[in-house]
Amino acid sequence: MRQLNTSFPKFFFEVRIISAMLLVFFFVSPAISQKPVVLHPEVGDTIDLIEKLDYLLFTQVPDSLFDQGVLRKDGENYQLAVWHDTDIEKYDISIEDFESYAGNIEKLSAYYKRQKEKLEAGNKKSLVIKRDSFPPGLDIEWMSKKQKSKMIKESRRYNNLKLDADEQGLMGFEREKYIKTGGQMEFPLGH
């Protein structure tokens, strides 16, 4: 009677497992390396045109040719895939540019947040006194209509001068001097 070699099926099974592992490695590893890279949590892994403009990103790509872009790691550097209509263009991004763009997002998002907070704070508490809306405590019975009108006029004048001083870049003493003397002309007395 002839004896069957049982090692053959075992060998065949091991070859199939190794082959399957190699196939998984060759097909999955490029997909893993092509995973989108997040430039900054503020913009995520897909950057649209508005984000490109708001955060001054990818200056080498014309705005008119940019609908959205995705960054991927490419060796030591990065590659930007840009979609416009049905076209896809690829641009090399150095690690220095990547860090610069991430810094832009960090700085500008902090700036935009401060501006938003200032705007919201300004809407809650305004220093400008309007004719029909006196802050509580200012509409006092003993104030005449003329006094209220003068207070409104002076408030507007002060705020306008303050804005002018800010636009001119005046600071400290010069700013206060401009606000206090603004609108007044001083003539030296001649002998």
Side-chain angles (χ1 to χ4, degrees):
M1 184 166 224
R2 196 168 158 195
Q3 221 177 7
L4 291 173
N5 186 354
T6 58
S7 64
F8 180 71
K10 186 177 178 184
F11 173 76
F12 182 68
F13 180 71
E14 289 172 357
V15 167
R16 285 181 30 183
I17 288 178
I18 292 171
S19 298
M21 288 174 37
L22 286 173
L23 282 173
V24 167
F25 176 75
F26 284 117
F27 286 110
V28 172
S29 66
I32 290 172
S33 68
Q34 293 300 312
K35 183 179 176 187
V37 175
V38 175
L39 179 60
H40 190 277
E42 192 75 26
V43 295
D45 63 0
T46 303
I47 299 161
D48 63 19
L49 178 60
I50 301 298
E51 292 168 331
K52 177 188 184 305
L53 296 171
D54 284 350
Y55 296 112
L56 309 173
L57 303 175
F58 316 122
T59 53
Q60 67 272 39
V61 182
D63 297 339
S64 61
L65 300 177
F66 190 99
D67 290 334
Q68 65 181 0
V70 175
L71 281 166
R72 289 183 168 70
K73 189 80 171 146
D74 184 29
E76 291 294 316
N77 293 314
Y78 297 89
Q79 190 173 60
L80 173 68
V82 175
W83 283 266
H84 176 65
D85 294 332
T86 57
D87 298 330
I88 299 174
E89 291 287 326
K90 295 190 178 188
Y91 297 87
D92 292 327
I93 306 292
S94 69
I95 196 159
E96 292 83 17
D97 286 342
F98 182 89
E99 290 170 356
S100 174
Y101 293 142
N104 283 1
I105 296 171
E106 188 67 32
K107 291 174 192 171
L108 288 169
S109 65
Y111 172 76
Y112 294 145
K113 189 178 289 184
R114 281 192 309 273
Q115 295 296 59
K116 183 179 177 184
E117 289 169 358
K118 284 181 183 178
L119 183 63
E120 288 172 354
N123 289 338
K124 291 178 185 173
K125 183 174 117 179
S126 175
L127 296 176
V128 177
I129 299 173
K130 297 178 183 158
R131 194 172 303 279
D132 297 333
S133 62
F134 285 101
L138 286 180
D139 195 13
I140 304 171
E141 292 177 18
W142 56 264
M143 288 180 81
S144 69
K145 199 171 197 174
K146 187 176 179 181
Q147 288 173 319
K148 290 177 188 176
S149 178
K150 183 175 180 181
M151 185 175 65
I152 291 168
K153 184 179 174 184
E154 287 298 314
S155 174
R156 285 188 185 137
R157 180 185 165 279
Y158 174 81
N159 284 314
N160 287 335
L161 289 170
K162 193 167 84 171
L163 288 173
D164 287 344
D166 290 342
E167 286 177 5
Q168 292 179 23
L170 299 176
M171 301 183 93
F173 176 74
E174 290 297 321
R175 183 176 187 266
E176 291 301 315
K177 182 179 170 187
Y178 180 83
I179 293 171
K180 286 179 182 175
T181 62
Q184 297 179 8
M185 296 185 72
E186 295 178 14
F187 296 101
L189 297 174
H191 291 50

